[in-house]
């Protein structure tokens, strides 16, 4: 397998979001510690019982040798072990009532003298600390947890570019932590010494990553790659395609020998291997016009969203809460849902309480639009506003091909949508429905307000169910 880097700066399709109201202010605060933490065990089952006391860092859930363990984010007493809705699915949960004590169980083998560790030892620590699960398709180790073996990793690609509205900005995550980020990159190199480490960042933040490179002494195993900040550049498949100069977006980075992580994964790698800290905290961006103020909070895993957003919502009754990016995220129905080891952003958009009449014919001076039909296209310095309501009326497809223009994987979303809605799902496989990465841009740019991505997702589910039935009867 040969990995060849090319100086490709972007990819076909995509969209650049500019000057949005509600971008998170570059101010990081501690979220505070709630009385109880609700730790979802997305990777296993509880190994603690009600009434048991646990220390910070102690393993409270395991899922077998291939899955990372889950740790107590703080010290306290287990008061509930059960199941809860987590990210849309019933998930095991451990509820810990905190006691304010500071006892701590570090990850075994952690040391400041990282260069004395063998690659296998570093891989094991990353697995035991829960860091492996933060990498797309998992970080390889003898314990498992990845589709790749360590020997087949040719590149570790770090996505330090943020193009989806209201996701964390690398400059904020790394404010005062350049040395730690550099140490995290060194940890990844120590774990996979034969792989090249590539940091993909935007042109605007080039100086920040030059500082990182200098902090490491400009090693030959590190490469910086400046990319156009066009959504969805940070998607692992699109990022792999751009860095490798592939003509088509691959179905899996792992099949191309690429591991993909992000800035927070690198910082957690440093904390695990150097400080012995498992993944028990996350930095979460709070963005969107329904927040006042916006910002960033450092929260313990298991902290309910309610604790993070309380006091920040302008009108809690007229706010749509989304976990993750605006296009790929998920609407939150219950603010008791807790922060997990992968939570990175919570957005709050205003729910406008009256319908917009003939929206397509209004000037749209603050509209965010792919087309240049609105006045906003002539106002390059004006701030645009995103709301949760549908802007305008649903109409039949007008064959504008906008969805095809922005699609980063080169499929024809409006064609696939028609095939799905006209019960011609079998035809969609021939037109690449499984290549869709569900970035949501097709639905976003559609002037007819057709939820093309939902139709494509429906078609995928139908095809997979039919394949399962066929396999069972074959």
């Amino acid at each position: 397998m040969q990995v060849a880097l090319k100086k490709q700066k972007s990819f076909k399709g995509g969209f650049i979001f500019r000057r949005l109201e509600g971008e998170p202010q570059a101010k990081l605060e501690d979220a505070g510690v709630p009385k109880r933490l609700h730790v979802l065990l997305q990777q296993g089952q509880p190994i603690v019982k009600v009434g048991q006391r646990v220390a910070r860092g102690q393993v409270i859930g395991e899922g077998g040798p291939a899955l990372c363990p889950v740790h107590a984010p703080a010290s306290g007493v287990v008061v509930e072990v059960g199941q809860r809705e987590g990210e849309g699915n019933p998930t095991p949960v451990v509820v810990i009532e905190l006691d304010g004590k500071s006892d701590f169980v570090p990850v075994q083998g952690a040391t400041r003298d990282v260069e004395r560790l063998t690659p296998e030892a570093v891989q094991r620590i990353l697995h035991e600390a829960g860091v492996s699960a933060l990498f797309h398709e998992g970080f390889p180790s003898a314990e498992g947890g990845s589709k790749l073996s360590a020997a087949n990793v040719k590149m570790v690609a770090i996505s330090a570019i943020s193009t989806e509205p209201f996701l964390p900005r690398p400059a904020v995550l790394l404010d005062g932590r350049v040395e730690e980020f550099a140490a995290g990159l060194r940890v990844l190199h120590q774990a996979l010494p034969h792989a090249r480490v590539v940091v993909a960042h935007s042109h605007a933040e080039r100086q920040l990553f030059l500082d990182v490179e200098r902090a490491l002494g400009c090693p030959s195993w590190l490469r910086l790659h400046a990319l156009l900040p066009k959504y969805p550049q940070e998607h692992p498949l699109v990022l792999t395609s751009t860095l490798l100069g592939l003509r088509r977006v691959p179905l899996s980075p792992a099949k191309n020998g690429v591991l993909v992580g992000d800035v927070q994964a690198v910082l957690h790698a440093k904390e695990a291997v150097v400080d012995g800290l498992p993944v028990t905290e996350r930095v979460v961006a709070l963005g969107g016009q329904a927040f006042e103020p916006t910002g960033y909070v450092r929260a313990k895993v298991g902290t309910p969203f309610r604790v993070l957003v309380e006091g920040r919502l302008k009108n809690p009754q007229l706010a749509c809460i989304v976990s993750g990016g605006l296009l790929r995220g998920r609407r939150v129905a219950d603010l008791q849902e807790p922060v997990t080891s992968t939570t990175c952003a919570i957005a709050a958009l205003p729910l406008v309480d009256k319908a917009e009449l003939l929206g397509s014919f209004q000037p749209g001076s603050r509209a965010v639009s792919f087309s240049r039909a609105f006045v906003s296209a002539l106002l390059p310095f004006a701030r645009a506003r995103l709301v949760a309501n549908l802007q305008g009326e649903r109409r039949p497809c007008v064959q504008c091909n906008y969805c095809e223009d922005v699609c980063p994987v080169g499929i024809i979303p409006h064609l696939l949508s028609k095939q799905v809605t006209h019960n011609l799902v079998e035809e969609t496989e021939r037109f690449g429905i499984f290549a869709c990465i569900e970035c949501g841009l097709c639905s976003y740019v559609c002037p007819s307000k057709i939820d093309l991505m939902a139709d494509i997702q429906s078609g995928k589910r139908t095809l997979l169910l039919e394949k399962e039935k066929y396999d069972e009867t074959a």
Side-chain angles (χ1 to χ4, degrees):
M1 192 181 307
Q2 184 175 3
V3 173
L5 284 175
K6 296 183 179 180
K7 293 184 179 180
Q8 183 173 329
K9 302 291 175 84
S10 187
F11 58 95
K12 181 181 177 298
F15 182 74
I16 298 177
F17 291 90
R18 302 179 192 275
R19 303 176 303 282
L20 295 178
E21 283 188 4
E23 286 285 353
Q25 297 177 40
K27 183 180 180 183
L28 176 61
E29 302 172 346
D30 281 323
V33 182
K35 291 182 179 177
R36 292 186 172 187
L37 296 174
H38 303 247
V39 185
L40 295 178
L41 275 62
Q42 298 157 304
Q43 307 167 55
Q45 296 296 321
I47 60 168
V48 291
K49 297 178 180 178
V50 172
Q52 181 177 341
R53 189 176 182 284
V54 294
R56 181 188 176 203
Q58 181 176 333
V59 176
I60 60 173
E62 291 180 340
L67 297 174
C68 293
V70 180
H71 306 80
S75 301
V77 177
V78 176
V79 294
E80 181 184 339
V81 176
Q83 285 217 331
R84 184 159 302 173
E85 284 294 318
E87 300 188 353
N89 298 306
T91 306
V93 64
V94 173
V95 182
I96 302 171
E97 189 164 281
L98 307 187
D99 58 14
K101 296 183 179 177
S102 58
D103 44 343
F104 169 56
V105 179
V107 181
Q108 289 189 353
T111 174
R112 293 186 178 278
D113 198 358
V114 175
E115 293 184 355
R116 295 188 62 181
L117 294 173
T118 65
E120 293 76 16
V122 180
Q123 294 161 17
R124 181 193 60 75
I125 295 171
L126 294 176
H127 175 85
E128 294 296 327
V131 178
S132 299
L134 303 182
F135 285 79
H136 185 75
E137 299 181 298
F139 200 97
S141 69
E143 288 72 22
S146 176
K147 293 182 177 180
L148 267 173
S149 68
N152 286 331
V153 179
K154 306 299 180 187
M155 177 195 296
V156 180
I158 302 304
S159 173
I161 189 167
S162 180
T163 63
E164 193 171 2
F166 309 145
L167 287 188
R169 301 295 175 196
V172 179
L173 296 174
L174 296 182
D175 185 21
R177 303 190 70 184
V178 167
E179 295 285 342
E180 288 184 73
F181 184 74
L185 294 176
R186 191 182 296 282
V187 163
L188 300 181
H189 171 64
Q190 191 72 13
L192 300 167
H194 59 281
R196 177 173 292 180
V197 178
V198 178
V199 179
H201 59 88
S202 71
H203 289 279
E205 293 175 336
R206 181 168 178 74
Q207 186 56 51
L208 174 65
F209 293 98
L210 286 175
D211 291 343
V212 172
E213 187 179 45
R214 276 194 287 271
L216 286 166
C218 302
S220 59
W221 49 265
L222 178 67
R223 179 160 181 178
L224 305 180
H225 207 113
L227 303 174
L228 188 66
K230 182 169 64 170
Y231 179 77
Q233 181 61 85
E234 66 266 57
H235 191 290
L237 302 181
V238 179
L239 184 63
T240 299
S241 171
T242 305
L243 292 178
L244 297 184
L246 304 176
R247 288 189 176 183
R248 287 182 177 276
V249 172
L251 295 177
S252 163
K255 289 183 178 177
N256 289 274
V258 180
L259 269 182
V260 181
D262 61 15
V263 171
Q264 292 212 59
V266 176
L267 293 171
H268 283 303
K270 178 266 174 184
E271 290 177 343
V273 177
V274 177
D275 307 323
L277 285 171
V279 181
T280 57
E281 288 186 346
R282 294 289 288 176
V283 173
V284 181
L286 303 175
Q289 298 91 325
F291 275 135
E292 183 61 47
T294 60
Y296 291 76
V297 291
R298 183 182 290 104
K300 290 196 175 296
V301 170
T303 303
F305 285 2
R306 173 183 52 76
V307 174
L308 307 189
V309 307
E310 215 163 45
R312 290 179 180 266
L313 292 173
K314 295 176 184 174
N315 187 341
Q317 306 304 318
L318 291 176
C320 174
I321 308 297
V322 177
S323 175
L326 280 191
L327 277 80
R328 291 184 291 164
R330 172 182 48 79
R331 186 169 184 176
V332 175
D334 183 359
L335 288 178
Q336 281 301 113
E337 182 175 322
V339 172
T340 70
S341 61
T342 57
T343 303
C344 62
I346 299 174
L349 297 184
L351 284 166
V352 180
D353 56 359
K354 59 182 180 182
E356 185 182 57
L357 181 63
L358 299 175
S360 302
F361 298 98
Q362 295 190 24
S365 58
R366 299 175 68 191
V368 185
S369 176
F370 178 71
S371 80
R372 302 182 67 80
F374 293 101
V375 172
S376 58
L378 305 174
L379 302 172
F381 301 108
R383 287 273 173 186
R385 188 168 188 259
L386 290 172
V387 297
N389 298 62
L390 195 66
Q391 299 294 289
E393 302 77 27
R394 292 189 190 279
R395 296 171 294 174
C397 175
V398 294
Q399 305 286 340
C400 64
N401 292 329
Y402 287 171
C403 60
E404 189 177 346
D405 291 343
V406 298
C407 180
V409 298
I411 58 176
I412 308 174
H414 66 85
L415 173 63
L416 294 171
S417 170
K418 287 170 186 167
Q419 289 172 328
V420 171
T421 54
H422 287 79
N423 295 319
L424 298 171
V425 179
E426 293 79 6
E427 292 293 314
T428 60
E429 198 163 1
R430 191 157 61 93
F431 289 94
I433 191 169
F434 285 112
C436 173
I437 60 171
E438 302 182 8
C439 67
L441 265 182
C442 53
S443 297
Y444 176 76
V445 301
C446 180
S448 296
K449 318 302 177 189
I450 302 170
D451 195 347
L452 299 165
M453 186 177 81
D455 291 340
I456 292 173
Q457 289 173 321
S458 172
K460 283 182 174 180
R461 286 194 297 271
T462 301
L463 284 173
L464 290 173
L465 283 174
E466 289 178 355
K467 287 179 188 295
E468 284 180 15
K469 289 178 183 176
Y470 176 81
D471 292 341
E472 288 174 359
T473 56

